[in-house]
Amino acid sequence: MIELQHITKRFGPLLALDDVSLQIAPGQIHGLLGENGAGKSTIMNVLFGLLKPDAGVIRIGGEEVRVGSPRVARSLGIGMVHQHFKLVPTLTVVENFALSLATSVRAIRPAAQRQLEALRWPVELQARVENLSVGQQQRVEITKALLAIERSSGGNRTLILDEPTAVLTPQETAELFAALEVLKRSGGGGGSGVGIVFISHKLAEVQRICDVVTILRRGKHILTAPASTLSAEEMAEKMIGSRIELPRVAGEGRGGGTEGSTRRALLDVQNVSSGMLRGVSLQVYPGEIVGIAGVDGNGQSDLVQSIIGAVPVTGGAVHLDGEEATRKSIRWRIDRMAFIAEDRHREAVVLPLPIRDNLMLKDYRRRPFSSAGWLRFGAWRSHSRQLVSRFDVRSPSILTTVGRLSGGNQQKVVLARELYNQEKPVVVAVNPTRGLDVGATAFVMQQLLDARARNAGVLLVHSDLDELLAISDRVLVLYNGVLTASDWPKATKDSIGQLMLGV
């Protein structure tokens, strides 16, 4: 169906793609793997018309084509779900569909409703996108791409999914996979099925859904093989170049927050009500990781925003390190808490600023980074270079704007800024491994375990239940604004999943 031949792409001195060739066949789900900065999103952005290659050609059905824009790509039957959403926040869901497909709201509404119902996704078409959760916005993106494929007049139909399950629950992921199986068999033109490119860092999902796997490493093609011939360990080794395992809590959790504990909680949320939350209480004690599980949209955002001070609480109190924090400013909390936000673009980085400035956003007033009101850029440079090296941020310079980095490298910038200071007693992390490769995921999880080892209290809100359970001492489940304690680590994954569904 589609051939990308000898594609090369540079960004200044950085060689993002080095003579990469790839074939996408009809009726197949093609997994595209690689660590952050390997070139996965870059080569798909070339195919979708967002980037122009420096060398190489694209052929569809044997004919060379020039994909100069996403509009041209869609006319050729290529749809893409981006890792970073391409939605207009101030428009409604159906208005975003109409804008993307250059049609009217009235014309697209029936097809959009059918598609959402087929996927069993309860997304209100009249809802404003800025009011949707991250998970709901991801569903809108997937639906938008599927609608584009449906409207294609050509025989070619190709769907590119860039980290589509990053914020989906296991149940939502299963529903998506069922839809993808139908799509790959459905066919356009001669009935040969849709070609699907599945970019993911979740190797278990790749094994589960993909027919073929291609692995890139540092811009080079490493291998293409049937997914059934590769284990998750072999995939990870090819991606990274060495063997790697995700860290886990050794043995059963220490249960620092057991009832009757006489230790003082580092984070104490007492009967807090805000947004969806209804009298939520939790404690995080020194030297433990408390995981918050739940289907996206059940109050996780309200809980986190209440803790960091971004929204006022309507009832209850929050204490940080033994001090009343309910009415304290965000700046006051910054000194006592590391915060890894869920949406890095809206809450964690400033895309037009360089890496150096993003790393200094919270520390620029401190010594040695400023003195008597004067900024000391020499100290900024030295500090930033150390963090870029320590956290393996792939960039030619600390003055590269964060907006030019891959999603995974943007997340590493956030992690570097938030986790380097080991004096902060509380760490709040929300989906900290979203968009990260297996090596970077292992690094992040180890950082959280290191914080636990230095006796910090870690609150981990995570949509990936496997990763959450891997390193949590205790697990609480949030459903419809109510927090329920599970019996982890004695409880099973399935029983926690039932609690997530309100059962």
Side-chain angles (χ1 to χ4, degrees):
M1 182 184 290
I2 293 179
E3 294 178 284
L4 295 100
Q5 299 178 332
H6 308 291
I7 302 296
T8 297
K9 179 63 182 177
R10 289 183 178 271
F11 297 99
L14 179 65
L15 184 59
L17 294 172
D18 185 5
D19 193 32
V20 175
S21 296
L22 179 68
Q23 293 181 335
I24 305 168
Q28 279 189 343
I29 300 180
H30 196 128
L32 187 55
L33 304 179
E35 58 184 334
N36 297 122
K40 310 180 299 297
S41 296
T42 301
I43 195 167
M44 288 299 101
N45 283 333
V46 167
L47 177 59
F48 194 58
L50 285 169
L51 292 174
K52 181 180 178 181
D54 299 324
V57 298
I58 299 173
R59 299 181 187 276
I60 297 181
E63 298 292 328
E64 183 175 340
V65 296
R66 292 186 179 275
V67 188
S69 70
R71 177 170 293 182
V72 173
R74 284 192 291 266
S75 71
L76 295 170
I78 302 170
M80 184 169 182
V81 177
H82 300 270
Q83 182 180 357
H84 302 301
F85 306 142
K86 308 295 182 183
L87 300 171
V88 181
T90 54
L91 296 183
T92 65
V93 171
V94 71
E95 287 169 346
N96 270 276
F97 292 156
L99 177 65
S100 174
L101 301 174
T103 187
S104 68
V105 168
R106 174 178 291 183
I108 198 62
R109 186 188 299 276
Q113 191 64 54
R114 284 196 303 272
Q115 188 66 70
L116 288 169
E117 289 174 356
L119 292 171
R120 291 183 289 175
W121 284 346
V123 178
E124 174 55 52
L125 289 175
Q126 290 304 121
R128 201 177 295 272
V129 166
E130 63 185 356
N131 296 329
L132 299 180
S133 67
V134 174
Q136 290 171 320
Q137 290 183 37
Q138 179 69 284
R139 297 170 196 168
V140 172
E141 281 282 26
I142 293 171
T143 305
K144 185 177 71 174
L146 293 176
L147 289 171
I149 287 181
E150 281 186 353
R151 293 168 60 87
S152 171
S153 59
N156 165 66
R157 294 190 179 186
T158 303
L159 176 64
I160 304 166
L161 301 175
D162 193 351
E163 298 285 352
T165 64
V167 294
L168 301 184
T169 66
Q171 292 85 354
E172 292 168 332
T173 297
E175 292 170 3
L176 173 64
F177 285 177
L180 296 184
E181 290 288 351
V182 173
L183 279 172
K184 81 172 186 179
R185 294 190 299 266
S186 66
S192 54
V194 176
I196 300 171
V197 180
F198 186 83
I199 303 175
S200 179
H201 294 303
K202 300 181 179 182
L203 301 185
E205 291 183 357
V206 171
Q207 287 184 302
R208 175 180 169 187
I209 193 66
C210 294
D211 303 298
V212 180
V213 171
T214 291
I215 296 177
L216 304 181
R217 185 166 73 232
R218 303 212 172 196
K220 291 181 178 293
H221 177 273
I222 301 301
L223 69 81
T224 296
S228 60
T229 65
L230 297 170
S231 67
E233 292 76 14
E234 289 171 327
M235 292 181 190
E237 185 174 354
K238 295 294 185 183
M239 289 166 55
I240 306 298
S242 60
R243 296 190 67 84
I244 192 167
E245 294 183 3
L246 292 180
R248 294 178 178 273
V249 171
E252 293 192 354
R254 287 178 287 179
T258 54
E259 189 175 353
S261 172
T262 58
R263 291 185 297 161
R264 187 185 72 187
L266 293 174
L267 173 63
D268 190 2
V269 177
Q270 301 176 352
N271 201 33
V272 164
S273 296
S274 177
M276 284 187 66
L277 301 183
R278 293 178 287 170
V280 165
S281 296
L282 67 90
Q283 291 76 40
V284 182
Y285 291 86
E288 71 166 351
I289 299 176
V290 177
I292 303 292
V295 177
D296 186 66
N298 274 274
Q300 292 94 328
S301 178
D302 293 324
L303 175 62
V304 171
Q305 298 295 312
S306 297
I307 292 171
I308 68 171
V311 297
V313 300
T314 56
V318 177
H319 289 79
L320 280 175
D321 199 18
E323 296 187 60
E324 169 74 44
T326 314
R327 301 291 180 261
K328 297 288 189 181
S329 68
I330 291 180
R331 180 173 294 281
W332 182 90
R333 301 181 200 218
I334 283 174
D335 294 334
R336 295 156 179 83
M337 178 173 56
F339 175 53
I340 302 168
E342 176 181 25
D343 189 335
R344 53 182 169 263
H345 285 183
R346 295 178 61 185
E347 300 176 302
V349 296
V350 183
L351 294 175
L353 291 183
I355 294 171
R356 179 199 66 184
D357 293 12
N358 273 278
L359 289 173
M360 297 307 307
L361 285 176
K362 293 186 175 180
D363 288 333
Y364 69 92
R365 294 190 178 200
R366 307 174 188 271
R367 289 182 179 274
F369 309 118
S370 66
S371 178
W374 293 93
L375 302 178
R376 302 181 63 190
F377 289 106
W380 287 31
R381 286 192 298 270
S382 176
H383 179 68
S384 298
R385 286 170 180 157
Q386 289 177 10
L387 293 186
V388 164
S389 175
R390 175 181 163 187
F391 285 79
D392 192 29
V393 180
R394 304 281 175 83
S395 172
S397 168
I398 60 171
L399 296 181
T400 301
T401 58
V402 167
R404 296 189 63 180
L405 300 179
S406 68
N409 280 300
Q410 290 175 3
Q411 184 73 339
K412 288 180 182 179
V413 170
V414 178
L415 294 165
R417 184 185 66 220
E418 298 298 329
L419 296 181
Y420 89 91
N421 187 345
Q422 299 187 359
E423 296 180 358
K424 295 184 178 180
V426 175
V427 177
V428 177
V430 187
N431 290 325
T433 61
R434 182 186 177 195
L436 297 187
D437 59 56
V438 63
T441 294
F443 179 80
V444 172
M445 294 173 71
Q446 188 59 55
Q447 291 291 311
L448 296 178
L449 288 173
D450 289 347
R452 170 188 187 257
R454 64 175 169 81
N455 235 25
V458 181
L459 182 69
L460 176 60
V461 183
H462 209 333
S463 58
D464 190 313
L465 191 56
D466 289 324
E467 291 181 10
L468 181 80
L469 299 181
I471 65 171
S472 295
D473 295 294
R474 292 188 290 126
V475 174
L476 309 176
V477 179
L478 193 58
Y479 175 76
N480 199 25
V482 176
L483 204 59
T484 303
S486 74
D487 195 24
W488 184 256
K490 295 180 181 179
T492 65
K493 178 181 174 181
D494 288 342
S495 66
I496 293 177
Q498 292 294 309
L499 289 173
M500 292 168 61
L501 296 174
V503 179

